[in-house]
Structure formats: C-alpha cells, structure tokens
Amino acid sequence: MAKTDWKAEAKTLKKKLSKLKAKDAAPAKPAKMVSPLAPAGFPALPVIGGVEYAAVEAGVRYSNRKDVMLIRLAPGTAVAGVFTRSSTRAACVLDCQAKLAGKVDAAAGAAIVVNSGNSNAFTGAVGVEAVEAVTGAVAKALDLPASRVFSSSTGVIGEPLPYEKITAKIPDLVKDLREDGIEMAARAMMTTDTFAKGASAVVHGDGGEIRIAGIAKGSGMIAPDMATMLVYIFTDAKISAVNLQKMLSRQVDDTFNAITVDSDTSTSDALILAATGQSPAAEIALRSRVAKDFEAALKAVMLDLAHQVVRDGEGATKFVEVKVTGAASPEDAHRVAMAIANSPLVKTAIAGQDPNWGRVVMAVGKSGAQADRDKLTIRFGDVLVAEKGWRSPDYSEEKAAAYMQRDELVIAVDLGLGKAAKSVWTCDLTHRYIDINADYRS
Amino acid sequence: MAKTDWKAEAKTLKKKLSKLKAKDAAPAKPAKMVSPLAPAGFPALPVIGGVEYAAVEAGVRYSNRKDVMLIRLAPGTAVAGVFTRSSTRAACVLDCQAKLAGKVDAAAGAAIVVNSGNSNAFTGAVGVEAVEAVTGAVAKALDLPASRVFSSSTGVIGEPLPYEKITAKIPDLVKDLREDGIEMAARAMMTTDTFAKGASAVVHGDGGEIRIAGIAKGSGMIAPDMATMLVYIFTDAKISAVNLQKMLSRQVDDTFNAITVDSDTSTSDALILAATGQSPAAEIALRSRVAKDFEAALKAVMLDLAHQVVRDGEGATKFVEVKVTGAASPEDAHRVAMAIANSPLVKTAIAGQDPNWGRVVMAVGKSGAQADRDKLTIRFGDVLVAEKGWRSPDYSEEKAAAYMQRDELVIAVDLGLGKAAKSVWTCDLTHRYIDINADYRS
C-alpha cells in the first residue's frame, strides 16, 4: 500500500472546505443571472420603415447602463394601445389613455419615451408634472403635438421622477435615432429582467410584405416594486387606427391577459402598437385574407412576447401551460385556468417537481366556475392522471414524476361540461421568488 | 517553527468538511417545530354539558399518535354548520350538508367523527361508500339515526380512505367518551398543525351561565394537500337549530371567511356548531339581550380560533391584520383587504420586514374595488405612510422599518370614499412555505 501524502490530502481538503464555505455564506442573495428558461439570444428583428430608436444613460436610478429610450414614429403612423386596469395606475398610463381617446392627427407622426428605474406611480401632482415635462420636451424636440407623445416609466414606486435628468438627454436621443436600434431600446427599459425580449412576423400583403416587430419588458424586480410589463409593437402595415385598435383589443385577452407570474397586477402595464403604413403593400381591408393573416401574425408576436415575460418570471425554473377545455363558457375556462396558474400550492408543487394533482382539483374547486367533480379529467402532458372524479386506474406516479422533471410542462384539465377552452401560461414559485422580493429595498 | 502535523490537520479538515456537507445536504427539510406565533399553550376550556369526546390511534396514515376522534352530543342538541363552497368538495362535506338540510330530529342526539391523515376527497364512489360506512358504524354503536352522524376527513387527497381501520376502533372510542376530552379531540385532527387550537367564552343567560367551547385545525400540511380547516364549537345554550344557524352564518364572514394563509381554498373546510341545551339558563329568545351577548361571544370564539389558524399558517413569522376603512361598500372593503392579504409581493415584503407601501397601493389597484388613488391613506401601525395620492411629507422610513420588525402588524388602508370597513388577517410568505409545499409527497 502506498504511503498517504497527508500534506497533499490536507491541501485538497482545505480547497474543498473553502469552496463549500463560500457557497454556504452566500445562499440567499439572488445573483443577476439569465433565466434558465430564456431563449438562446435576442432574435434578429426586421427593420420597420418609419420607426427609429435611440437610448441613453440618463442616470434616473441605475448607473453605467442605458435607462431612457426614445422611439420616433413617422407621419401617418396609426397608434393603438391597451393599459392596466388598476385603479391606482401611474400618471403616464393615464396620460397615454387620455391621448389615445382624444382626437388624433396621424399625419403628425408620434413618439414614445420610456425610462426604467422609477415608475412615477403614486407620486400625486408632481407625477403629472413629470409626465408633462418629459412628453412636452420630446414634442418640442421632434416638432410634434404633445398629444402624440406617449410615455412609460418603470421601476420604484412613490419616488418623484427626476425628470430633468431625462429632458436633459433628449437632444442626445434625437441625434442618435436609428432604424436598427430596437434591441438597444428593449435593453434600456429592463429593470431586473434577465434578458431582453423581442419577437417578429412577416405577412404577405397585397403588393408586398408587411412586417411586425415587438419588444417587451417584465417581470423582474430590483427596487423592488411590482412586476411591470411594457410592450411596444411596430408594423409597417397600412391600417386605420380604429382597425388596429380593434385587432389589438381582440387579441390581448388570449395573450398578455393570459399570463401570470404571481397574480399581482402592475400600476404601469402598457402595450402600444404603432402602424407606420410604409410597407409597399396595400391598405389592409377589413375581413380580407390579409386582415386575417395580419391579425394572426400580430397575435403570434404578442403571444411570443407574453411567453418571454413568463420565462423571465421572478425565480422561474418551469414554463407551464395550463390548458382548460370542456368548460361551460370561455369565462369559466379562463377562471379555472387562472385559479390553477395562480395557486401558490400548485406553483410550489411544480417547483418541487411533484405531480400533485390533488392541488389542481382544489384549484378547480375554488375557482368559482361551474365544475362537476365527477366529470373532471386531468393530464400532466400525456400522462392521464384523473378522470370521473378519481385517480385514473392507469395512472402511473413514476411516469408523472418523470414528466414533472421537464422545463416545459402542460397541465390539461377537461371540465367535461361544454366546448369552451382557454390556455394561460405561468411559471413555478421558488425560493428565488422569496429572495428577490423579501429583500429590503435600500 | 514547529513542524506541521499534516495527518492531524487532514483529519480535522475532513471532520469540518463532512459537517458542512451534511448541513448543505439537508437545508430545506422543514423541522416539526411550534409556530413562533403560537399561544403559550392550549387554553383551559369549560366542560359543556352534553358533549363527550374520545380519540384513538387507528393508523389511518400516521403511526404512534391518535388520528380519529369521536364526539357524542346528547339528545336535544341543535346542530348548525357552514362548509367550503368548493365545487370539488369532499364526500364527507357533501354528506354533512345533505344531513343538515334534511328534516332533523334533535331529540335523537348526534355525533361527529373525524379522522386525520386522509381527506377522502376526489375519491369518487368509494369515497361516498367510506362516509356511509363510518357514519353508519357510529350511528349503530351510539344508537343514533345515521342522519345525525356528521363526519370530516383531513389529509392526503385522492387516496381511498381505509375506513375499516376507523370502524374497527369505534367500540374503543365509544368506551372512552368523556366530558373533559376536548384537547385530545383537537390533537387527533391535527395534520401538520404545529399546535392544537381551542377557545371559549361564557355568557350570562337568564337563570345561569351559558358556555361556549371550540376547537379548530389548520393550516399545516404533511402529505401535502391544501390547507384544510376543521372547526367544532359546542355550547350548552338552549337555542333552536334555526336560530343557531342564523347566528353562525351571520358571523362566518367576519371570522373564518376573513382569514387567508395562501389564497388556496380547501375541499374539506367544515365548521359545525352544536348547542346541547344543558345550561340552566332559559332558552335564548330572538333579539333579546342574551341573544346579542351570545352571538357576540360566539363571534369572539370563532375569531379567536380563526386567528389561531393564521398563527399556524405554513411558514408564518408575522401575524398581520389588514384593516380597510372608508370603502364605498362592505364588499369593496373586503375585496381590497383580501387583495392586500393575498398579494405574494405584499407577503414577501412583510417577511423581509420591508415597509413596502408601494405594493399595498398596487394591491388596492388590482382589487377591482372602487378606489381613488388621490384619496388613499395608508398606515403601518401608527406610522402614517401615504396620503392624498403620495407618500406623506411626515413619513419616516426608519420608524416604519422599526415597526415592521414586530411579530404582529396592522396594515391600515383608508379609501376615503365611504363608511364601510372590514378587516382580514393573514401571515407572511416565507422560505418555509416553499420548503413545506415544494417537497415531494412520498
């Protein structure tokens, strides 16, 4: 037997010990790492004629990163929007809503200005002043009516927005506007997002291509506040503002209103859709083949961005579709799907990779929707779990447990009552969610 | 310099390493400890004439502990009940509801039989059989009509209840019935509750004392399932079943329906209130002074038990009252209070001892209740945080942060719109909640 080299052994052990100690000392602090559910990278997005982007470091709250972005929309751009229904929504949201509801002169062009680091929410009269100052300064610099400048703010709540830091940078922003700057704009509005989110589509119009490109932020935290979601989608389609708004409103329920990270609704959620009309294709006529294709493509872009928001959900390790079929009405289907997707017990079971279908039954029961225990069918992916009011005789716990190890899961519930169906998308509830949100703000 | 004894050094390091490794390997397993919010001990509860308790080890799921309890109620006992509104409620709940809705012969007496370890929920036709077998066996042993035997089950979902284990023990239970066994009964229905819950009151009736004593279980987990809550309250009052039910139904909204641990509703929640009529006091007449006192005392017992359930909330370290005033309607007040109490972002902030009032504003906004941002007033205890749509000029972050260190907190929101007010009680959302619920069941 060879003699043990105790010195070498001690060295190795010392190294191991110091590694383990380091790991032990820093368990809870959330590292700034990319979500395990993130796509490989930011996608290549098409240039949309008539849309230019710029971003600067204004130091609103963060240092050493761009935190204000400006988007110029060419004259003739139609603008549509949907916003949070929160009764405590931020001043910039109220301002956008008022401007979109008013008489609009599309010929003038438009602009969007967004800052991260401060949400300008619950800031009373000074919040309104800040919105007027920022949008007024952009309007002046770009020679637009103030009624055509839309703004968003995302970040800490209840702190006055240091708007002079933003207005001081507007000349720089205007100078830097360029057609290929969409990724930079997406990055400037990130808070604790772990990746920038983009999606696109191309539709064959009459006489040419119609392009759609969109960016989103959500749902990270840093200050922390609630998970705010901001979405901007651009297209070169020729389409009236009225028709654009109709399509957007029709598709929002099955896309952005069908995702949930933690059931908490932001004061700042905003989605603006702008159509510049610069595609060579003819104007999109209502009920045409192109209108149908365009709306489908728009929905695909919206859904893609919505899914990316869930994939960046705080602490998320699983991307989950909750698919409800056989409901008495679409409202019931949505209600059941949301009850499952928002249940802390379902979400912690998913985090624990536990096929805990009893909690799914519980969530169906509490949803308030019409449901008959004895007609329920529950599947985890392809694994039939329960049917006719009880665990399926063919149920294999091993198969279900193996399925739950995946990153992407489908929980399917058939209520056995009608034909309505809805899906929602969510993520799991993990220790990192607590780490991120139980941290003191300072 | 002395020569290093590398062998001894390696040994010491090895020991340290193995200790640290062991610590690292078992961080998440929740220890079975008593909640830091638990009362000092089980209270001394008065004997209620006409109520006897027994408990046995039946081995339904747990070993080495009593897991089935029986309560006999003397002839003449009026029974009232409230139950979960879940559409997937358990067979025993449906059975209790049917029995209480039917024609009742109070002269016959009644009984309650409860097991822990298995909830007999979502168990289809065999679940119904199990309820019939257990209640039938108790009825036979106590010479009662089966329609006067009420049962509850709490524990794992979707597993057939091994009811023969229960029926085999009924002779032992009947033999052991005694008037001073209420704490034992409370312990037998615990699942992962960390303490047994009891409360009592005495009312001065016409001609003698009227006593009330109650026990509850919730909201621990072990198997795990959803947090089930079972409550049994006894009184020796002479009162009709109709009046008893009226009082119970009137008080349930402001007591048990005003608490939330995690927003998930059980399939098995049940509250049974039994009045034996054995007090020397005269029958309680409607709208009398005694009726008023009795209902107030009943409410106090219900609220005390409800608070104990929150104090035993999974992973709880803070007991929180959310107090909403100035609402346009009681429904709105309740809606706002529940939106705050159920918000994962509010609950994680409380866990982090962070006076994050922005999240309270967010929760008000998402509640769906009528609210005006500029009329909101928010207080953490005595600390005025926000008023008139913004942080109060007198707000002191230090004072608020110091307040949040306490175990018991009051978050008060005045909506400034009307006169309606409601309180709800909740706890914080901590890592232990994740530990308890993300654990695989096996």
Side-chain angles (χ1 to χ4, degrees):
Chain A
M1 213 179 85
K3 207 177 157 232
T4 311
D5 180 354
W6 287 111
K7 189 172 171 180
E9 173 91 358
K11 259 193 177 169
T12 315
L13 286 168
K14 241 183 197 164
K15 234 186 239 170
K16 277 191 190 168
L17 193 66
S18 91
K19 239 192 211 169
L20 211 55
K21 266 188 181 164
K23 190 182 151 201
D24 221 49
K29 205 69 190 167
K32 184 81 179 174
M33 54 176 83
V34 173
S35 164
L37 305 170
F42 193 80
L45 298 185
V47 164
I48 307 292
V51 189
E52 297 158 289
Y53 317 81
V56 287
E57 291 185 24
V60 172
R61 187 181 178 93
Y62 311 120
S63 17
N64 302 319
R65 55 157 281 192
K66 294 181 175 172
D67 59 348
V68 176
M69 63 99 151
L70 176 67
I71 298 171
R72 176 160 61 184
L73 301 161
T77 296
V79 180
V82 288
F83 302 89
T84 177
R85 281 171 286 200
S86 166
S87 63
T88 55
R89 49 196 182 270
C92 49
V93 173
L94 293 168
D95 182 63
C96 284
Q97 290 179 304
K99 286 172 176 173
L100 282 173
K103 193 118 184 95
V104 156
D105 179 15
I112 299 167
V113 55
V114 181
N115 74 274
S116 54
N118 183 315
S119 74
N120 192 23
F122 211 64
T123 46
V126 301
V128 176
E129 274 166 40
V131 172
E132 281 170 7
V134 172
T135 57
V138 169
K140 205 172 154 196
L142 295 181
D143 195 19
L144 290 169
S147 63
R148 293 288 286 170
V149 180
F150 306 96
S151 73
S152 294
S153 295
T154 176
V156 71
I157 217 175
E159 298 281 343
L161 178 67
Y163 61 83
E164 306 85 352
K165 291 186 178 174
I166 301 173
T167 51
K169 293 288 182 179
I170 288 172
D172 291 349
L173 282 164
V174 170
K175 215 166 44 198
D176 289 347
L177 284 164
R178 39 189 254 238
E179 282 196 326
D180 62 350
I182 192 166
E183 181 176 353
M184 187 178 59
R187 292 201 180 280
M189 64 178 175
M190 286 167 68
T191 54
T192 47
D193 299 61
T194 74
F195 61 91
K197 299 160 193 76
S200 67
V202 174
V203 182
H204 298 285
D206 291 328
E209 276 186 350
I210 299 170
R211 295 157 161 196
I212 306 174
I215 52 176
K217 77 135 300 216
S219 24
M221 288 278 177
I222 200 164
D225 296 299
M226 60 287 307
T228 51
M229 194 180 69
L230 299 178
V231 186
Y232 304 97
I233 303 175
F234 308 100
T235 174
D236 53 8
K238 287 188 188 66
I239 184 169
S240 73
V242 171
N243 288 344
L244 199 66
Q245 182 69 49
K246 264 189 201 158
M247 286 184 182
L248 178 62
S249 299
R250 261 202 300 261
Q251 298 307 331
V252 78
D253 275 349
D254 285 342
T255 56
F256 290 103
N257 288 348
I259 60 171
T260 178
V261 168
D262 57 6
S263 81
D264 275 341
T265 306
S266 163
T267 52
S268 307
D269 291 337
L271 188 171
I272 291 178
L273 168 60
T276 62
Q278 300 202 358
S279 158
E283 180 165 349
I284 298 175
L286 261 187
R287 279 178 291 273
S288 63
R289 192 264 312 158
V290 177
K292 227 179 118 182
D293 287 358
F294 178 77
E295 189 165 342
L298 176 64
K299 181 187 175 178
V301 169
M302 290 167 72
L303 197 58
D304 188 341
L305 291 172
H307 286 179
Q308 289 187 53
V309 170
V310 173
R311 285 173 183 280
D312 208 6
E314 292 175 333
T317 69
K318 305 276 186 185
F319 177 77
V320 186
E321 177 177 3
V322 181
K323 201 172 173 172
V324 174
T325 53
S329 69
E331 293 71 30
D332 269 11
H334 181 76
R335 199 172 294 137
V336 169
M338 275 294 178
I340 297 168
N342 279 327
S343 159
L345 289 172
V346 171
K347 292 165 92 86
T348 47
I350 295 169
Q353 309 197 123
D354 174 5
N356 194 321
W357 57 275
R359 296 184 182 175
V360 176
V361 174
M362 174 282 298
V364 171
K366 76 161 184 171
S367 69
Q370 197 187 324
D372 180 337
R373 201 188 51 183
D374 299 338
K375 288 182 178 164
L376 276 184
T377 305
I378 300 172
R379 282 186 175 79
F380 289 158
D382 292 335
V383 184
L384 175 63
V385 177
E387 55 182 343
K388 294 178 194 142
W390 201 20
R391 194 174 56 196
S392 160
D394 302 329
Y395 175 64
S396 153
E397 178 91 0
E398 288 88 324
K399 271 190 201 160
Y403 177 75
M404 298 303 286
Q405 306 273 331
R406 298 192 194 181
D407 281 354
E408 309 207 353
L409 301 170
V410 178
I411 297 178
V413 173
D414 191 282
L415 297 174
L417 296 174
K419 294 192 167 173
K422 286 280 178 191
S423 279
V424 309
W425 292 268
T426 191
C427 56
D428 50 345
L429 173 57
T430 67
H431 281 292
R432 259 184 69 74
Y433 182 88
I434 310 277
D435 286 338
I436 295 168
N437 291 307
D439 243 20
Y440 195 86
R441 284 161 298 163
S442 65
Chain B
M1 211 180 88
K3 207 175 156 232
T4 311
D5 180 353
W6 287 111
K7 190 171 170 181
E9 173 92 357
K11 259 192 177 170
T12 314
L13 286 168
K14 240 182 197 167
K15 236 187 235 169
K16 277 189 190 167
L17 192 68
S18 90
K19 239 191 209 167
L20 211 57
K21 264 189 181 162
K23 189 183 152 200
D24 222 50
K29 204 73 189 163
K32 182 80 179 176
M33 55 176 83
V34 173
S35 164
L37 305 170
F42 193 81
L45 298 185
V47 164
I48 308 292
V51 189
E52 296 158 289
Y53 318 81
V56 287
E57 291 184 24
V60 172
R61 187 180 178 93
Y62 310 121
S63 17
N64 302 318
R65 56 157 281 192
K66 293 180 176 174
D67 59 348
V68 177
M69 63 99 151
L70 176 68
I71 298 172
R72 176 160 63 183
L73 300 162
T77 297
V79 180
V82 287
F83 302 90
T84 177
R85 283 170 284 200
S86 166
S87 62
T88 54
R89 50 195 181 271
C92 49
V93 173
L94 293 168
D95 183 64
C96 284
Q97 290 179 303
K99 285 173 177 174
L100 282 173
K103 192 117 185 97
V104 154
D105 179 15
I112 299 168
V113 56
V114 182
N115 74 275
S116 54
N118 182 313
S119 73
N120 191 25
F122 212 65
T123 46
V126 300
V128 177
E129 274 166 40
V131 172
E132 281 170 7
V134 171
T135 58
V138 169
K140 206 171 155 198
L142 295 180
D143 195 20
L144 291 168
S147 63
R148 293 288 284 169
V149 180
F150 306 96
S151 73
S152 295
S153 295
T154 177
V156 72
I157 217 173
E159 297 281 343
L161 178 67
Y163 61 83
E164 307 84 353
K165 290 185 179 174
I166 300 173
T167 51
K169 293 290 181 177
I170 288 172
D172 291 350
L173 283 164
V174 170
K175 217 164 46 197
D176 289 347
L177 284 164
R178 39 187 253 238
E179 281 196 326
D180 63 350
I182 192 166
E183 180 177 352
M184 187 177 60
R187 292 202 180 280
M189 64 178 175
M190 286 167 68
T191 54
T192 46
D193 299 61
T194 75
F195 61 91
K197 298 159 194 77
S200 67
V202 174
V203 182
H204 298 286
D206 292 328
E209 276 186 350
I210 299 170
R211 295 157 161 195
I212 307 174
I215 52 176
K217 78 135 298 215
S219 25
M221 289 276 179
I222 200 162
D225 295 300
M226 60 288 309
T228 50
M229 194 179 69
L230 299 177
V231 186
Y232 304 97
I233 302 176
F234 309 100
T235 174
D236 52 10
K238 286 187 189 70
I239 184 168
S240 72
V242 171
N243 289 343
L244 199 64
Q245 182 69 51
K246 264 189 202 158
M247 286 185 182
L248 178 62
S249 299
R250 261 201 300 261
Q251 297 308 329
V252 78
D253 276 348
D254 285 341
T255 56
F256 290 103
N257 288 348
I259 60 172
T260 177
V261 168
D262 57 7
S263 81
D264 275 341
T265 306
S266 163
T267 52
S268 306
D269 292 337
L271 189 172
I272 290 178
L273 168 61
T276 62
Q278 298 202 359
S279 159
E283 180 166 350
I284 297 175
L286 261 186
R287 280 179 290 273
S288 62
R289 192 265 312 159
V290 177
K292 227 179 116 182
D293 287 359
F294 178 77
E295 190 166 341
L298 175 64
K299 181 186 175 180
V301 169
M302 289 166 73
L303 197 57
D304 188 341
L305 291 171
H307 286 178
Q308 290 187 53
V309 170
V310 173
R311 285 172 183 279
D312 209 6
E314 292 175 333
T317 70
K318 305 275 186 186
F319 177 76
V320 186
E321 177 176 3
V322 181
K323 202 172 172 171
V324 174
T325 53
S329 69
E331 293 71 30
D332 269 12
H334 181 76
R335 200 172 294 137
V336 170
M338 275 293 180
I340 296 168
N342 280 328
S343 159
L345 289 173
V346 171
K347 292 165 91 85
T348 47
I350 295 169
Q353 309 196 124
D354 174 6
N356 195 320
W357 57 275
R359 295 184 183 175
V360 175
V361 174
M362 173 282 298
V364 171
K366 78 163 182 170
S367 70
Q370 196 188 325
D372 180 338
R373 202 187 50 182
D374 299 338
K375 289 181 178 165
L376 276 184
T377 305
I378 300 173
R379 281 187 175 80
F380 289 159
D382 291 335
V383 184
L384 175 63
V385 177
E387 55 182 343
K388 294 177 195 147
W390 201 21
R391 194 174 55 195
S392 160
D394 302 328
Y395 176 65
S396 153
E397 178 91 358
E398 288 89 322
K399 271 190 200 160
Y403 178 75
M404 298 303 286
Q405 306 273 331
R406 298 191 194 181
D407 281 354
E408 311 207 352
L409 302 170
V410 178
I411 297 178
V413 173
D414 191 282
L415 297 174
L417 297 174
K419 295 192 166 175
K422 286 282 177 191
S423 281
V424 309
W425 292 268
T426 191
C427 55
D428 51 345
L429 173 56
T430 66
H431 281 292
R432 258 184 69 73
Y433 183 87
I434 310 277
D435 286 338
I436 296 168
N437 291 307
D439 242 21
Y440 195 87
R441 281 161 301 163
S442 64

